[in-house]
Amino acid sequence: MTKLLNRVGVDIGGTFTDVALEHAGGLATCKVLTNYTHPEQAIIDGIEIAAQKAGIAMAEITQVIHGTTLVTNSLIERRGAKLAFITTEGFRDVIEMRSENRFEQYDLNLTLPKPMVPREDRLTLNERMGPNGEVLLALDPAEVDAMVKTILAGDYEAVAIGLMHSYANDAHEVQMAKALRAAAPDMSISISSVISPQMRELPRFNTVIANAYVQPQVADYLGRLVQRLSDAGVGAPVFMLHSGGGLISVDLAAEQPVRLLESGPAGGAIFAADFARGHGLDSVLSFDMGGTTAKICLIEDGAPKTANTFEVARTYRFKKGSGMTVSTPVVEMVEIGAGGGSIASIDTLGRIQVGPRSAASEPGPACYGRGGEEPTVTDANLLLGRLDPDNFAGGAIELSVSASDAAVNSKLGVVLDMPSDQAAFGVTEMVDENMANAARVHTVENGRDIEHFTMIGFGGGAPLHACRLCEKLGIKELIIPPGAGVGSAIGFLKAPFSYEATRGLFQRLDAFDAASVNSALAELEHEAMAFVRAGAKDAQTTTKLTAFMRYAGQGWEIPVSLPYKTFVDADQAEILSAFEAAYQTLFGRVIDALSIEITNWSLVVASVLPETQIVQRHDTGALAATLRTRQFFDAALRKTVDAQEVDRAAMTAGQCVDGPAIIIENETTTIVTSGYRAIGQGDGSLRLIRKGDAS
């Protein structure tokens, strides 16, 4: 596949909109504050700045790749369409009953998320499919007509249809949708057998509801974006990054917007995975810290860890189990409220807490001078000397030290009876500890030892905190890639065209039916390949097959990678071996004499990207030129230290600087603590190695 030039990746975050433009001369990047009222305006502004840096006209851009948090924000803020949900008689309350899991066991005032659809808007049909696709109760056409009249009378903007066992037989869902489309051609209609054809009615119903809820808004936004780009002279096709880490067309994104959940963070994981492959690293902890949140993801064997379920709109924002579970392909990561704009406060026990509230871009941290009055992580970093007030974002934003001091002192220092610099240290130490705990839990849940991982840090805030995080976690090596401040946007440019097709097909392994599996996989391949070809045309593709399996009686499945081939009944032994290996890796043991079940299948078709070039790695070298000496507070030493300030451009391959040091660039700043040494690498990245551990 011929590589296109002048491709632009755009990531809208909670605070900044990041732009990365790939052109013949290299990479042009920029950050602009996110425009909440008109997010497409920040995209246009950012692309214009990047195009000017690259010396090209807007009309010369050949491809735009976009990631957005619009879907996630709409679900969290409940800003969606007036929605009706049609389901099987007797199952209207599934989404309200949830899984009956008390995610906060001892909280007597537990707040559960409200259903996306009120009970009066949850309508039922007297029909029933069996789990093997057999028709147990046929759908009466007269009842379909009556339902159409009810929907039209209710003045709904969108309809979600989720009937029992429709993943096995979609005839009734299709019949209902066809009647609605005939009566109301402009209405947004989503059916679960298309959006999430998998076992388990709760996540399947949630997913089709979420899709229908945001579909009109997303379709309108994407239409405006394409038109605004065209008006600005960009006539190039626009593609979206989906949450599983691949590219899809705007049309598919408008049809299945639920696939855009977490699309921005997925770009960051792709960015980190590319550098993991280049450095030959098999075990990597991806650390993405932006203006609002921090995301941690495991990358093994050069690929991010993925999952087929995801929680959104949590009532306890970062509490697992408190949200709405949807079943859509997603890069698996843990997210915490620890961004540069996260607000620090004092809780009822007199302790400093950080997040989950964020100052975002409006009004932003106090030091931005845009009306913010509450102390944030950025304000704390500024007071501790880790940020240069005159050279933030390349000098585009002048920071006010006095405003930060006033915010930290009034909201924290006075309450705790301590100087503002000590309060600022408390803020950064708390946020670093929160991130370290999240990383420990995430790796332990996946059966991994975090000390054996290398960290790759990116996002505007990660290079400021990554070294301290490594100290807390016992990690010996940290990599800060070039363009780290806009890492997710660059990751968009490294993503393949891909589509994940899923299907529920329950079987006992000891009764494995190869014929039915092969038939289902052929349909999945046809579905996935059609979407990939729409964007990648004649590109070479790869196919990845995953079976979701469990021991009989268990409540959840684990993903098991299998070779994609034409199966025969005798392949039971091979599938059993793959399952036991995956189970052993995750839990440390297998269970003898228990039957094994397969519940769902997943098939990913992706375009093949150029191979990542292997990087020449350096352990040491000549000392880099120092611009000046600055001071910052070194948390591990609990004191202010004199640090060398070095321009990132001076950290060429083999150039090094011993901590304490500050390495500056336009989009971010890398803090090298006293216990680490930074060495420039062949790909332009910084490799930070704990002193005494260099080979």
Side-chain angles (χ1 to χ4, degrees), residues 21 85 170 189 240 259 262 376 379 455 458 460 478 519 529 567 652 667:
L21 173 58
F85 175 50
D170 65 355
I189 299 168
M240 305 297 294
R259 287 182 177 262
E262 296 294 284
T376 67
D379 292 307
M455 181 180 289
F458 55 95
L478 162 68
S519 176
M529 189 66 75
F567 287 96
T652 55
E667 281 90 16

Side-chain angles (χ1 to χ4, degrees), residues 24-76:
L27 193 68
T29 62
C30 72
K31 298 175 81 76
V32 296
L33 288 171
T34 293
N35 187 322
Y36 276 78
T37 306
H38 301 288
E40 66 273 14
Q41 184 59 53
I43 292 176
I44 301 298
D45 294 343
I47 293 177
E48 286 179 343
I49 293 171
Q52 290 174 2
K53 288 183 177 181
I56 65 171
M58 298 283 276
E60 295 179 76
I61 292 173
T62 58
Q63 193 178 83
V64 177
I65 302 171
H66 178 32
T68 178
T69 57
L70 177 64
V71 175
T72 304
N73 292 342
S74 295
L75 293 174
I76 292 172

Side-chain angles (χ1 to χ4, degrees), residues 571-582:
D571 285 327
Q572 287 182 27
E574 181 182 0
I575 298 173
L576 171 63
S577 177
F579 170 74
E580 290 186 336

Side-chain angles (χ1 to χ4, degrees), residues 3 9 12 17 36 86 152 202 238 246 264 271 330 342 365 368-369 387 430 450 455 477 569 608 658:
K3 185 176 181 180
I12 295 183
T17 293
Y36 276 78
I86 301 174
L152 295 179
L202 175 60
V238 179
F271 176 72
V330 64
S342 294
Y368 282 15
L387 293 174
M430 182 60 69
I450 197 169
M455 181 180 289
E477 181 179 2
D569 292 344
V608 176
D658 279 346

Side-chain angles (χ1 to χ4, degrees), residues 252-272:
L252 178 58
E255 178 186 342
Q256 299 185 24
V258 73
R259 287 182 177 262
L260 301 182
L261 284 167
E262 296 294 284
S263 67
I270 294 169
F271 176 72

Side-chain angles (χ1 to χ4, degrees), residues 93-100 103 112-113 202 321-324:
D93 295 320
V94 164
I95 63 172
E96 192 159 5
M97 293 167 64
R98 295 166 47 84
S99 62
E100 299 184 354
F103 52 86
L112 297 173
L202 175 60
S322 68
M324 173 180 173

Side-chain angles (χ1 to χ4, degrees), residues 386-693:
R386 298 169 183 172
L387 293 174
D388 183 352
D390 301 320
N391 193 33
F392 183 73
I397 301 176
E398 186 175 344
L399 302 183
S400 170
V401 177
S402 60
S404 291
D405 186 72
V408 171
N409 187 55
S410 63
K411 302 291 184 179
L412 305 176
V414 171
V415 178
L416 298 173
D417 190 25
M418 64 173 57
S420 55
D421 59 342
Q422 290 186 23
F425 166 59
V427 171
T428 60
E429 194 70 354
M430 182 60 69
V431 79
D432 289 340
E433 191 60 37
N434 287 343
M435 291 186 291
N437 283 334
R440 292 185 189 103
V441 170
H442 189 51
T443 49
V444 168
E445 285 180 342
N446 285 277
R448 303 295 188 269
D449 184 352
I450 197 169
E451 291 186 2
H452 298 151
F453 278 67
T454 296
M455 181 180 289
I456 296 182
F458 55 95
L464 286 163
H465 293 262
C467 214
R468 177 58 178 155
L469 200 54
C470 287
E471 290 176 337
K472 288 179 173 289
L473 296 172
I475 291 177
K476 301 176 182 179
E477 181 179 2
L478 162 68
I479 292 174
I480 306 294
V486 292
S488 290
I490 297 175
F492 295 173
L493 303 176
K494 299 179 181 294
F497 287 91
S498 75
Y499 186 87
E500 181 170 353
T502 56
R503 179 72 53 84
L505 181 61
F506 179 84
Q507 287 188 352
R508 287 273 293 266
L509 185 58
D510 55 14
F512 182 68
D513 181 0
S516 61
V517 170
N518 290 332
S519 176
L521 295 183
E523 293 176 7
L524 293 180
E525 183 183 30
H526 181 268
E527 176 188 349
M529 189 66 75
F531 286 114
V532 171
R533 290 295 179 219
K537 305 302 180 188
D538 58 349
Q540 183 183 355
T541 59
T542 60
T543 304
K544 177 184 176 184
L545 177 63
T546 303
F548 291 87
M549 304 175 64
R550 68 189 181 193
Y551 286 111
Q554 289 188 326
W556 209 252
E557 304 83 32
I558 65 170
V560 179
S561 296
L562 296 175
Y564 181 57
K565 64 177 186 177
T566 300
F567 287 96
V568 297
D569 292 344
D571 285 327
Q572 287 182 27
E574 181 182 0
I575 298 173
L576 171 63
S577 177
F579 170 74
E580 290 186 336
Y583 201 92
Q584 175 82 32
T585 298
L586 193 58
F587 297 109
R589 57 166 294 186
V590 296
I591 305 175
D592 296 324
L594 270 186
S595 298
I596 295 168
E597 300 169 339
I598 307 173
T599 59
N600 297 312
W601 294 84
S602 161
L603 189 75
V604 179
V605 175
S607 60
V608 176
L609 295 175
E611 288 190 11
T612 303
Q613 296 296 315
I614 300 301
V615 177
Q616 180 185 1
R617 285 160 60 87
H618 298 267
D619 298 318
T620 187
L623 296 178
T626 301
L627 296 175
R628 59 171 175 162
T629 298
R630 275 172 54 189
Q631 291 186 327
F632 74 84
F633 188 87
D634 192 318
L637 301 180
R638 299 294 196 273
K639 67 177 183 179
T640 298
V641 295
D642 291 326
Q644 306 171 70
E645 182 181 272
V646 178
D647 194 314
R648 176 72 182 257
M651 295 294 293
T652 55
Q655 297 292 301
C656 71
V657 60
D658 279 346
I662 302 174
I663 302 174
I664 62 170
E665 56 185 301
N666 284 347
E667 281 90 16
T668 188
T669 297
T670 300
I671 296 296
V672 185
T673 60
S674 301
Y676 282 75
R677 166 184 296 159
I679 309 105
Q681 302 298 301
D683 61 348
S685 61
L686 299 175
R687 185 180 176 212
L688 278 65
I689 307 174
R690 192 166 62 188
K691 291 178 181 177
D693 287 313

